Amino acid sequence: MTCQTITLKLPGSLYRTVRQMAQVSRQPIETVLQDSLAAVLRPGECDTASGHELRLFP
């Protein structure tokens, strides 16, 4: 899997929550964010005109 680097601006309260989760789980903040995004975002089937679609799973 190829990784891409992004810059993500988070509200302070969300950052504190992620930081606390990282501390409790003894994982880097990046890992907590990757795992959280992977849990709610899954690539969907390409059925749009642009060929891209993301499906959200609560």
Side-chain angles (χ1 to χ4, degrees):
M1 171 175 61
T2 302
C3 291
Q4 303 296 321
T5 300
I6 64 168
T7 299
L8 182 63
K9 293 185 179 187
L10 300 175
S13 60
L14 182 55
Y15 176 78
R16 286 187 294 276
T17 299
V18 172
R19 185 183 64 204
Q20 184 177 22
M21 290 175 67
Q23 290 172 341
V24 168
S25 64
R26 296 181 183 202
Q27 296 180 357
I29 290 174
E30 293 85 355
T31 301
V32 172
L33 289 170
Q34 288 172 356
D35 291 349
S36 297
L37 286 172
V40 296
L41 297 175
R42 298 183 192 166
E45 295 180 13
C46 295
D47 59 3
T48 61
S50 67
H52 300 341
E53 177 184 317
L54 288 177
R55 296 183 184 183
L56 298 176
F57 294 89

